[in-house]
Amino acid sequence: MTANNTFNLEQFKNGAKVQTKLGNPVRFITVSNTGKLIVAVKPRWKQEEQATYNLDGKKYKGTTTAYDLVMA
């Protein structure tokens, strides 16, 4: 991952395109009062589904996965 596609929460909230590292489009919903990012993910052959992320765009704290968010 290069610096130019590193997840940026403020840009995402302002309408910038974001996807998972797998390439699935992601739509911003809200930031919860518990400090979690709530988004809608559109997998390739499924309905759009709601998912929860850390504010840094990582699916799981302390590890990197293919489900983490990057700027498109």
Side-chain angles (χ1 to χ4, degrees):
M1 180 164 68
T2 59
N4 64 350
N5 69 347
T6 302
F7 178 74
N8 182 303
L9 178 59
E10 289 306 313
Q11 288 179 2
F12 185 36
K13 287 167 49 175
N14 289 324
K17 292 189 183 271
V18 171
Q19 63 187 24
T20 65
K21 288 182 180 178
L22 293 171
N24 297 329
V26 178
R27 182 174 55 85
F28 177 78
I29 296 177
T30 191
V31 174
S32 73
N33 58 0
T34 59
K36 293 288 186 177
L37 179 60
I38 301 173
V39 300
V41 179
K42 176 71 171 98
R44 292 191 193 334
W45 290 280
K46 291 184 181 177
Q47 295 274 359
E48 186 176 76
E49 53 193 39
Q50 186 171 309
T52 304
Y53 282 82
N54 294 303
L55 294 179
D56 62 0
K58 294 205 177 277
K59 181 69 176 165
Y60 303 107
K61 195 174 206 171
T63 188
T64 300
T65 70
Y67 302 104
D68 293 346
L69 303 178
V70 294
M71 304 310 286

